[in-house]
Amino acid sequence: MSHPRASTQSQRFAQFKLVLLGESAVGKSSLVLRFVKDQFDDYRESTIGAAFLTQTIALDETTTVKFEIWDTAGQERYKSLAPMYYRNANCAVVVYDITQSSSLDKAKAWVKELQRQANENIVIALAGNKLDIVTGDPSKRAVETVEAEAYAKEAGLLFFETSAKTAQNVKDLFTAIAKKLPLDQPGPRGARPGAGGRGVDLKGGMAAQQQGCNC
Amino acid sequence: MDDYTLPSTIWDIIVLGTGVKPSLLSVALSRAGKKVLQLDPREYYGATETAFSIDELEQWAKSPLPPFSHIGTERIGEITRPRGYTLALAPHLVYWGSSLLELLREVKMTSSFTWQAVGSWWVYLPEPAMEERPATGIGGLLLDAGVKAVKAAAAVKKKGGWNKGRKKRKDVDVDTEASAAASEASKPTTEATETQSPAGPEAPEVTLSDLTAEATSTAPSGSTLRKLGTFREVPCTFEDVAFSPDLQDRDRGYLGGFLRFLMKCADPTDVKHQEILQKNSETSFSEFLSSEYPLPTWTIASLHSLTLLQTPPAETKLKDAVQALITHLTSIGSIPDIRSSAALTIAYGGSAELTQVWSRGTAVSGGLNVLGRGITKIVGDTVTLSNGEVVTADWILVPEEDPETHETSETESTTEATTKATNSTVSYTKSIHLISSPLNPLFTRKLETDRIPPNAAVLTFPVGSLCTSAGLTNTAPVYIIAHSSATGECGKDESVLYTSTQILKDDGGYEFASAAVRRVLEEIGSDGNGTTPEVKFVCRYTQKFPVGDDEEEMVAQETEEEEEVKGRIVKIKGMKGGLAFDEGTVESCKRVYERIIGTKEGFLRMTEQMRRQYEEIEDQ
């Protein structure tokens, strides 16, 4: 069947929009690529063609969470990450580079903007990326873990230091977000029990139209 | 955020605006390998097709700019999280057979959106209205035969659904399909039972058992057409017509006859019907019906509601009505998930989602979106931006009538040559009502075979059915597009009602909208304990739309081409004001694309690299 997600009422399926924010070159796309495809490519084109990528994770036997991940597509400047871009986002990952202290300032500015403008229920995670560099050479660290952690706590954010390169903490980051998302509370994109809100399946497009049913 | 300078001063194309058409052109041109700079002087995406949170809507209302006027907002109930709402200025319906869906399927972009089904059309018909009949009434010669044919057709429909179970080739023409349905519909009963299943090797899974179930569920118990208070479901399939408890047998004959007439009109090779259509194209919808198919007035109103046209039936041209009805009838029954539905709506803000996804699409394929920046001057191929930066582009695409960008383009004589196009416009009165109830009865499954419930519905108030405090009655229909919370536009226990009418504010337009909403709340929202839901927030506004054929846009372009100026400017006409997604949009963008790229081929198609990455991800 083409709709396993909606199979029984006891199954919970939730879809959430996640936006990535942060200064350029902190590794936002790499984090997404690691999470979505479990790949890391130093020379990878900054972003993949679609407007967003999706990845599904199973929280437990009955709960599946699908992330719709909106990358910045290299548009960190030019005001193009306007409120509309993150308005109906349920969660945001604000990324900084632990080897660049200025990137944390930028991250803080994004957190402030999100808290002022975005959906009131938004779950925000702060991710200090490039942990692999520091592991190799501790002198490269420019942002202390305790410092960022204290800030995250004060601002009410989830906090992880990650490495897109080695995959360290990447899955944990997204899982922690999924767990914190209000599964039973409606959000802009939220949990929908059963088939009620899953929407019309257009996958297969013409095929579905052609054959009447593509189960 | 900061006022960064652009990474380059040389662009292939500058697109001004982030509405539906500019965004579609931006992403298509960007995917064709052009270096695209997409600008908007506004601080948000979507221009006149955007969606707002309540806070933003209130902000927007403070300084109305054309094409918007007379904007007012009011918070009535308590709103705990005003930023969580996504209220749409363009909550368009997208018909299953529309060119937009065809395009999105072709370029594998349908999954960039969450689609919700638009369920039934409901028309407000108090009892007295049900008695009314037009003065005329020639009476059909073959009346009994007509009734028999309709019932026979319904029998076929029960087996086959409207289009159901019929195999389609990929390139099958909708028109052919429609005429097939029509001819099948006129088959006598004996044959009807045999046509039930073309169960070939690729026969769909929905076959006998499902269909039997459906047939049982739609048995002549009157269960096909529902009633919610004074709201009646609009009959739009042969089954509906055959088993509607509100129709008398002779009306069944006429209505069935009219449906067959429509299906024949959908066939361009049916010379006879094309001629009838041609001859009557300027005749009014109600006049044609009362002379050819003398149906009760309420049936005319309910059929008219399917057209979604803002003009009253007596002022609606037959050709416009027929075109709209064909779109409806050829779409209904085709959606695998929900056979009772004809159209979809895009969750999270209607067409605003299109603008957002397409604008982002421009960026991910190498273009650049810049908000809060417009154009102040264009000379040849040199463009001065609102922050003083000077850039060049081979092509400059600007909205034809967009006041927020207008000051920008009244420049050199090169643009003047293109403004020849018609200035005719029409204004509609619109409102967005946030309701403190989920209005569940509107969003329940119609057929047992529907796998999902609809999350939108259309309600129509016919001419003369509403009254203002000053005693005015409505001279044109008032439409309500209802959205459930599954559209992501409001909270779980709420719903949103979008109203639209051509009656202007000074003629009671806003009052009629309020009266219509009140009717819905009283009759559909009541919980049985006498509690009527309330309006928590309302925004009312008036919007001007272009009218006329898109061809005029072409003429303007031709004139300009003769000028052979280096920095070439193309004026992009705004979307029309219909409740359904403007069917001309895709074709008009393809024409502009063709002028720039040289062909319509490959419009919006993924680049080779994107396709590979897409397939890799799909594989997982």
Side-chain angles (χ1 to χ4, degrees):
Chain A
M1 292 291 289
S2 59
H3 320 296
R5 327 170 200 154
S7 52
T8 67
Q9 286 289 327
S10 62
Q11 289 283 336
R12 285 197 301 181
F13 171 78
Q15 180 161 337
F16 296 106
K17 175 174 171 181
L18 183 149
V19 293
L20 274 128
L21 293 165
E23 205 171 47
S24 4
V26 295
K28 295 185 295 295
S29 295
S30 303
L31 275 176
V32 177
L33 201 59
R34 173 58 75 192
F35 175 56
V36 174
K37 301 189 70 188
D38 202 17
Q39 282 179 1
F40 183 80
D41 186 345
D42 278 319
Y43 305 100
R44 185 128 195 143
E45 278 280 308
S46 65
T47 315
I48 298 175
F52 56 82
L53 293 173
T54 59
Q55 174 67 308
T56 303
I57 54 175
L59 267 192
D60 55 51
E61 279 171 13
T62 57
T63 314
T64 313
V65 171
K66 182 175 178 184
F67 285 111
E68 207 176 86
I69 304 165
W70 288 64
D71 202 344
T72 55
Q75 309 273 296
E76 292 82 354
R77 300 166 179 188
Y78 322 116
K79 302 187 186 177
S80 67
L81 302 181
M84 187 167 170
Y85 165 75
Y86 52 75
R87 178 189 317 121
N88 47 35
N90 307 85
C91 38
V93 177
V94 181
V95 188
Y96 69 97
D97 175 350
I98 58 174
T99 69
Q100 298 287 339
S101 61
S102 64
S103 68
L104 180 62
D105 296 334
K106 188 71 195 175
K108 287 179 180 172
W110 275 117
V111 170
K112 212 168 141 194
E113 173 151 354
L114 286 170
Q115 291 179 332
R116 205 182 60 230
Q117 302 265 19
N119 177 16
E120 293 86 345
N121 282 341
I122 195 164
V123 171
I124 307 173
L126 181 69
N129 196 31
K130 303 198 182 175
L131 190 56
D132 52 285
I133 296 178
V134 174
T135 312
D137 178 1
S139 71
K140 291 265 173 68
R141 183 182 278 277
V143 179
E144 291 306 322
T145 312
V146 283
E147 182 203 338
E149 200 166 18
Y151 160 71
K153 198 170 174 190
E154 186 197 316
L157 320 174
L158 291 167
F159 173 69
F160 287 89
E161 284 192 340
T162 58
S163 166
K165 192 167 190 170
T166 65
Q168 195 179 347
N169 283 341
V170 175
K171 185 106 198 276
D172 306 291
L173 165 73
F174 288 93
T175 308
I177 295 169
K179 283 185 175 152
K180 203 178 170 187
L181 283 163
L183 283 173
D184 296 317
Q185 214 183 322
R189 279 162 164 77
R192 315 267 180 223
R198 81 162 157 84
V200 181
D201 188 2
L202 272 75
K203 265 276 164 75
M206 285 305 283
Q209 191 189 21
Q210 217 184 108
Q211 305 188 355
C213 174
N214 63 337
C215 311
Chain B
M1 312 213 92
D2 312 307
D3 207 21
Y4 290 97
T5 51
L6 300 172
S8 169
T9 56
I10 302 160
W11 299 86
D12 292 332
I13 296 152
I14 293 178
V15 178
L16 183 60
T18 55
V20 164
K21 281 174 150 186
S23 300
L24 176 53
L25 278 162
S26 283
V27 64
L29 291 165
S30 188
R31 284 184 168 194
K34 295 288 176 189
K35 209 171 143 197
V36 177
L37 171 62
Q38 187 186 11
L39 304 165
D40 198 319
R42 300 169 182 82
E43 302 281 345
Y44 51 85
Y45 292 94
T48 52
E49 286 91 51
T50 195
F52 288 123
S53 69
I54 287 180
D55 284 351
E56 289 165 330
L57 208 46
E58 286 170 338
Q59 202 55 39
W60 171 75
K62 283 182 192 157
S63 43
L65 279 169
F68 299 102
S69 61
H70 309 96
I71 313 178
T73 61
E74 209 181 326
R75 278 196 205 204
I76 302 143
E78 196 201 344
I79 292 160
T80 43
R81 292 191 296 271
R83 301 197 312 257
Y85 295 87
T86 305
L87 304 173
L89 294 187
H92 290 134
L93 278 76
V94 180
Y95 276 104
W96 186 254
S98 66
S99 54
L100 172 66
L101 268 189
E102 192 188 339
L103 172 70
L104 295 177
R105 285 188 194 108
E106 193 184 303
V107 300
K108 298 194 162 55
M109 223 188 212
T110 54
S111 56
S112 293
F113 306 95
T114 301
W115 301 91
Q116 296 293 352
V118 179
S120 293
W121 263 240
W122 301 87
V123 57
Y124 179 70
L125 290 170
E127 288 303 333
M130 301 295 292
E131 310 294 321
E132 264 178 62
R133 298 191 77 92
T136 46
I138 327 157
L141 260 173
L142 297 167
L143 211 53
D144 288 343
V147 174
K148 210 170 142 195
V150 173
K151 288 196 165 162
V156 177
K157 291 298 132 196
K158 277 191 290 168
K159 296 290 194 297
W162 182 277
N163 283 348
K164 183 194 286 184
R166 196 171 297 117
K167 276 183 291 174
K168 273 191 190 173
R169 275 177 298 116
K170 204 170 199 140
D171 56 350
V172 79
D173 186 344
V174 175
D175 293 339
T176 329
E177 185 65 17
S179 71
S183 63
E184 183 174 318
S186 40
K187 277 179 189 160
T189 328
T190 43
E191 263 178 72
T193 44
E194 289 162 21
T195 48
Q196 57 173 259
S197 176
E202 340 148 18
E205 214 175 90
V206 190
T207 48
L208 278 175
S209 57
D210 287 16
L211 296 175
T212 316
E214 189 190 344
T216 317
S217 76
T218 58
S221 57
S223 62
T224 317
L225 282 176
R226 296 170 294 175
K227 213 179 145 199
L228 286 173
T230 315
F231 294 87
R232 288 164 210 267
E233 210 166 27
V234 176
C236 61
T237 64
F238 286 101
E239 273 144 294
D240 288 347
V241 174
F243 303 119
S244 165
D246 295 328
L247 286 166
Q248 294 167 13
D249 267 1
R250 73 161 173 165
D251 299 335
R252 264 185 251 288
Y254 290 135
L255 196 47
F258 181 61
L259 291 184
R260 273 199 304 281
F261 166 77
L262 289 172
M263 299 324 277
K264 284 181 176 154
C265 289
D267 176 5
T269 64
D270 187 328
V271 180
K272 187 181 142 206
H273 283 83
Q274 294 308 320
E275 269 171 17
I276 299 176
L277 203 54
Q278 189 63 37
K279 207 178 80 194
N280 293 287
S281 66
E282 302 292 311
T283 312
S284 88
F285 182 63
S286 52
E287 195 188 325
F288 179 81
L289 276 183
S290 23
S291 69
E292 302 296 320
Y293 302 94
L295 287 158
T297 315
W298 70 267
T299 320
I300 297 176
S302 76
L303 276 173
H304 182 268
S305 74
L306 296 175
T307 68
L308 295 174
L309 295 169
Q310 305 276 3
T311 43
E315 288 165 33
T316 302
K317 288 178 187 165
L318 183 70
K319 61 170 183 186
D320 297 335
V322 166
Q323 195 190 0
L325 289 170
I326 288 172
T327 305
H328 190 101
L329 295 178
T330 49
S331 288
I332 197 159
S334 308
I335 308 176
D337 267 342
I338 177 165
R339 296 280 176 191
S340 58
S341 168
L344 306 175
T345 188
I346 301 173
Y348 313 116
S351 287
E353 271 295 273
L354 291 171
T355 69
Q356 177 74 81
V357 168
W358 284 337
S359 295
R360 301 302 304 160
T362 301
V364 291
S365 45
L368 187 63
N369 309 132
V370 181
L371 295 179
R373 198 170 300 178
I375 292 176
T376 49
K377 197 173 169 192
I378 305 172
V379 182
D381 63 353
T382 307
V383 179
T384 310
L385 306 184
S386 54
N387 65 337
E389 261 186 281
V390 178
V391 294
T392 64
D394 294 339
W395 292 88
I396 302 148
L397 276 48
V398 297
E400 185 180 82
E401 289 194 39
D402 186 347
E404 289 209 27
T405 55
H406 203 70
E407 63 208 88
T408 66
S409 49
E410 49 180 325
T411 53
E412 305 303 304
S413 55
T414 46
T415 55
E416 296 303 317
T418 66
T419 51
K420 202 191 100 191
T422 164
N423 285 325
S424 53
T425 56
V426 62
S427 287
Y428 296 136
T429 300
K430 301 198 168 247
S431 77
I432 304 170
H433 284 76
L434 174 66
I435 308 302
S436 71
S437 152
L439 297 178
N440 288 327
L442 285 175
F443 310 114
T444 54
R445 279 169 236 241
K446 180 178 182 184
L447 301 175
E448 273 176 34
T449 48
D450 288 344
R451 291 189 210 121
I452 53 166
N455 281 304
V458 180
L459 299 107
T460 315
F461 295 79
V463 171
S465 65
L466 294 165
C467 199
T468 66
S469 50
L472 289 172
T473 55
N474 59 317
T475 53
V478 174
Y479 289 93
I480 294 182
I481 310 288
H483 281 192
S484 85
S485 65
T487 59
E489 292 165 9
C490 61
K492 189 174 70 176
D493 300 318
E494 300 169 330
S495 53
V496 185
L497 301 180
Y498 296 99
T499 75
S500 180
T501 179
Q502 70 168 24
I503 306 168
L504 297 180
K505 179 175 181 272
D506 288 347
D507 302 320
Y510 289 172
E511 278 184 79
F512 289 126
S514 304
V517 166
R518 217 164 32 241
R519 288 266 81 84
V520 174
L521 300 191
E522 281 165 9
E523 302 212 15
I524 299 175
S526 283
D527 57 6
N529 304 324
T531 321
T532 301
E534 58 169 19
V535 174
K536 295 170 93 170
F537 171 81
V538 60
C539 172
R540 302 182 180 91
Y541 61 97
T542 303
Q543 187 174 359
K544 212 183 260 185
F545 296 95
V547 286
D549 294 336
D550 290 324
E551 287 311 312
E552 286 161 25
E553 181 175 67
M554 283 302 283
V555 176
Q557 291 170 21
E558 296 301 330
T559 323
E560 187 227 333
E561 194 150 54
E562 285 163 22
E563 308 251 320
E564 269 307 322
V565 281
K566 194 171 178 246
R568 282 180 286 184
I569 300 166
V570 181
K571 295 250 170 178
I572 310 297
K573 213 170 185 170
M575 287 182 95
K576 290 195 188 133
L579 296 175
F581 187 84
D582 179 357
E583 186 57 21
T585 302
V586 172
E587 190 48 36
S588 131
C589 288
K590 279 188 176 175
R591 280 203 303 267
V592 174
Y593 181 89
E594 185 180 25
R595 275 194 76 194
I596 295 172
I597 305 293
T599 172
K600 291 180 187 172
E601 228 10 68
F603 181 82
L604 198 60
R605 207 168 290 159
M606 285 189 259
T607 61
E608 192 50 32
Q609 187 198 4
M610 282 162 62
R611 201 184 50 75
R612 267 201 312 277
Q613 288 170 341
Y614 176 87
E615 278 168 6
E616 273 176 49
I617 289 167
E618 284 293 288
D619 283 348
Q620 290 191 337

